[in-house]
């Protein structure tokens, strides 16, 4: 059966060779349920890349349906019947023409991930992680979330017939809490931050018998996020931009993209130099920026984390060392912007470009402008900004002008406004 999701019944070989501890390199067997490594660090999926490259080429790939399953050889799924999909379409690269004209920049592209199911790029990670949970026979999953990850878990979990439990900080955007509930998860608001919610998930493993689906505590979400890197490289004719601005919370996407680029170099589909990876955070929660600037390998816990960009309000990330490694290996950097800059960008871009952004996406634009000002990025550099969530999911400034159709209309005043 060929659907718009891809050819779902075709036999798909997987080229997974093993899993590997991201800190110690210790090997783990594939096709088993794994959480963190024995060292308490994230596990990475490793492939037989030589065999992979012998079995797929760019032309074959180009002929496949435009969704993330087109990269099947790069993914861990063994049985096609395991696939849990809501139609994970490729997302467009939208150029910011007005901004290019204003700044004299060579090219500013926004990868608009808000087009994905559940309105955020969390769909990529959770489509993959829930698919693997189904393949490995897990039946109950739990997760702490700032909103979008929980929504994607709920949606894919319900679709797979897997029970889901979700815990979010009590100031999580209302739309997120409601979509999580409506999509079939059991959801609680918790009077704390995402790491406090993570504590509840950890404590519930024994009494509740659920599997901990926290960011990077299972190996497959990274593989789903990796498709952002594969996809953008393919969209640019197997090249990459000079720099990628990525709103960084747990960092799955940044780590995943960097893994994609390394794998593509290994099989000869990409040439170095690879893009400079830029982690964007808020000045109200910038543990990665602080660690990067101090030259540290790990990030310290960020006290009193606060920002309007909920998706990047992550005071401690278990993959901190992997994020920092990717930034340094790529010649990139980490940068923080204020909530005022984020709000400004959130109003500016839709007005001039017609493109609605999430606060996290707006943060990448603000970070780009700041990087230009500070001379950390050149105007001649082709850059890519990530809008990871659909702007419609967030609070917008009020628009409350009204007309009384029974009164004369003041056309002069109407002409003068705007
Ligand atoms: C989760 C999220 C982020 C942060 O992504 P990570 O890969 O976890 O760092 C950024 N923006 C939005 C909209 C998100 O939902």
């Amino acid at each position: 059966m060929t659907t718009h999701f891809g050819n779902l019944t075709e036999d798909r070989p997987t080229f997974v060779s093993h899993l590997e501890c991201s800190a110690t390199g210790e090997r783990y067997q594939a096709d088993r349920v794994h959480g963190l490594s024995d060292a308490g660090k994230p596990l990475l999926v490793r492939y037989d890349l030589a065999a992979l490259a012998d079995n797929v080429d760019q032309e074959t790939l180009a002929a496949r349906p435009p969704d993330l399953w087109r990269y099947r050889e790069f993914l861990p799924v063994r049985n096609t019947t395991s696939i849990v999909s809501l139609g994970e379409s490729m997302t467009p690269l939208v150029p910011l023409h007005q901004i290019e004209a204003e700044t004299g920049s060579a090219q500013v592209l926004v990868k608009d991930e808000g087009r994905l199911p559940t309105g955020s790029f969390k769909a990529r990670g959770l489509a993959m992680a829930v698919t693997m949970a189904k393949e490995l026979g897990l039946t109950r999953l739990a997760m702490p979330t700032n909103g979008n990850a929980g929504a994607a878990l709920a949606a894919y979990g319900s679709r797979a017939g897997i029970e889901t439990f979700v815990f979010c900080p009590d100031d999580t955007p209302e739309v997120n809490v409601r979509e999580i509930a409506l999509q079939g998860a059991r959801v609680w608001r918790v009077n704390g931050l995402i790491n406090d919610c993570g504590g509840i998930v950890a404590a519930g493993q024994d009494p509740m018998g659920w599997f901990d689906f926290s960011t990077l505590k299972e190996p497959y979400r990274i593989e789903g996020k990796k498709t952002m890197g594969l996809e953008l490289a393919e969209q640019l004719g197997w090249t990459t931009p000079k720099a990628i601005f990525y709103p960084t919370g747990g960092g799955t996407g940044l780590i995943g993209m960097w893994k994609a680029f390394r794998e593509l170099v290994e099989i000869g589909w990409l040439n170095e130099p690879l893009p400079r990876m830029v982690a964007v955070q808020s000045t109200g929660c910038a543990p990665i920026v602080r660690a990067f600037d101090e030259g540290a390998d790990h990030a310290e816990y960020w006290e009193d984390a606060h920002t309007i960009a909920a998706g990047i309000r992550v005071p401690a990330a278990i993959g901190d060392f992997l994020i920092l490694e990717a930034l340094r290996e790529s010649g990139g950097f980490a940068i923080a912007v204020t909530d005022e800059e984020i709000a400004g960008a959130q109003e500016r871009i839709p007005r001039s470009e017609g493109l609605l952004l999430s606060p996290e996406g707006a943060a990448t634009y603000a970070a780009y402008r700041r990087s230009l000002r500070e001379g950390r990025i050149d105007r001649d550099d082709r850059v890519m900004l990530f809008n990871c969530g659909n702007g419609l999911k967030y609070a917008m400034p009020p628009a409350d002008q009204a007309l009384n159709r029974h009164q004369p209309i003041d056309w002069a005043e109407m002409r003068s406004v705007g």
Side-chain angles (χ1 to χ4, degrees):
M1 177 185 63
T2 302
T3 71
H4 64 284
F5 305 155
N7 190 344
L8 294 189
T9 53
E10 191 178 308
D11 263 349
R12 300 149 33 93
T14 175
F15 295 96
V16 175
S17 53
H18 62 284
L19 275 57
E20 183 183 288
C21 173
S22 55
T24 66
E26 191 190 346
R27 291 169 74 104
Y28 291 76
Q29 205 174 331
D31 304 306
R32 299 278 167 85
V33 174
H34 292 291
L36 292 172
S37 72
D38 293 339
K41 299 295 179 189
L43 288 174
L44 299 174
V45 181
R46 294 301 183 200
Y47 297 82
D48 179 347
L49 290 172
L52 185 160
D54 282 344
N55 277 274
V56 66
D57 55 34
Q58 295 170 3
E59 291 70 41
T60 311
L61 214 95
R64 290 180 181 167
D67 64 29
L68 71 74
W69 307 103
R70 71 201 268 108
Y71 303 110
R72 63 191 64 155
E73 287 84 0
F74 295 84
L75 300 175
V77 186
R78 209 167 277 282
N79 301 306
T80 305
T81 50
S82 309
I83 291 179
V84 187
S85 173
L86 287 162
E88 296 72 28
S89 306
M90 292 174 89
T91 62
L93 299 174
V94 184
L96 299 185
H97 291 310
Q98 305 279 342
I99 301 303
E100 287 166 3
E102 180 185 313
T103 55
S105 300
Q107 195 174 35
V108 184
L109 297 168
V110 174
K111 189 147 178 67
D112 189 10
E113 296 280 299
R115 321 284 177 105
L116 284 160
T118 70
S120 87
F121 72 172
K122 293 296 195 299
R124 292 184 190 265
L126 273 308
M128 201 61 58
V130 171
T131 289
M132 292 306 291
K134 183 176 162 195
E135 185 154 284
L136 297 170
L138 297 173
T139 57
R140 186 179 282 175
L141 309 173
M143 173 196 280
T145 181
N146 280 325
N148 285 328
L153 175 67
Y156 287 98
S158 293
R159 199 160 174 84
I162 292 176
E163 224 184 332
T164 53
F165 292 77
V166 175
F167 302 88
C168 28
D170 52 10
D171 59 351
T172 297
E174 191 60 35
V175 64
N176 287 135
V177 183
R178 292 187 185 194
E179 66 177 325
I180 291 168
L182 196 55
Q183 284 161 183
R186 300 187 55 200
V187 57
W188 286 265
R189 297 166 207 265
V190 177
N191 52 346
L193 290 173
I194 188 163
N195 49 299
D196 302 309
C197 297
I200 294 169
V201 170
Q205 286 182 98
D206 264 356
M208 296 298 292
W210 59 43
F211 186 82
D212 186 342
F213 239 48
S214 305
T215 306
L216 296 179
K217 289 193 180 170
E218 62 74 49
Y220 302 109
R221 220 201 290 187
I222 290 185
E223 297 304 296
K225 291 283 191 87
K226 190 177 84 177
T227 61
M228 292 191 292
L230 302 172
E231 189 176 301
L232 76 86
E234 186 182 10
Q235 286 173 310
L236 297 178
W238 300 107
T239 66
T240 51
K242 189 71 190 276
I244 293 178
F245 285 75
Y246 182 81
T248 306
T252 341
L254 196 146
I255 297 165
M257 277 193 277
W258 189 244
K259 186 170 187 285
F261 298 149
R262 305 256 32 135
E263 290 173 359
L264 290 172
V265 167
E266 185 89 15
I267 64 170
W269 288 19
L270 274 186
N271 293 319
E272 297 184 89
L274 291 174
R276 301 176 69 195
M277 303 300 289
V278 181
V280 177
Q281 299 199 304
S282 152
T283 49
C285 182
I288 299 296
V289 180
R290 184 171 61 192
F292 182 84
D293 290 342
E294 286 172 355
D297 295 334
H298 285 81
E300 298 289 319
Y301 182 87
W302 189 274
E303 298 290 341
D304 298 323
H306 61 88
T307 166
I308 55 171
I312 54 175
R313 193 182 56 177
V314 178
I318 189 166
D320 55 358
F321 64 106
L322 297 172
I323 302 170
L324 291 162
E325 212 172 86
L327 300 182
R328 294 198 174 108
E329 264 181 53
S330 70
F333 56 94
I335 183 167
V337 292
T338 64
D339 275 6
E340 291 68 39
E341 288 174 289
I342 294 174
Q346 223 183 334
E347 292 208 19
R348 166 73 213 273
I349 299 300
R351 253 188 242 292
S352 67
E353 306 277 356
L355 181 67
L356 205 59
L357 297 177
S358 62
E360 298 81 3
T364 64
Y365 170 74
Y368 173 60
R369 293 305 295 258
R370 183 183 271 275
S371 302
L372 275 182
R373 280 200 305 278
E374 293 175 356
R376 301 175 93 170
I377 285 282
D378 202 84
R379 284 191 307 177
D380 297 334
D381 295 341
R382 172 202 240 183
V383 300
M384 192 177 293
L385 314 178
F386 266 81
N387 181 44
C388 297
N390 193 315
L392 289 171
K393 293 182 83 171
Y394 300 85
M396 288 177 242
D400 47 16
Q401 287 199 105
L403 267 188
N404 182 346
R405 66 193 173 93
H406 302 298
Q407 297 288 324
I409 293 174
D410 186 345
W411 300 111
E413 133 108 44
M414 193 178 283
R415 276 198 304 275
S416 72
V417 179

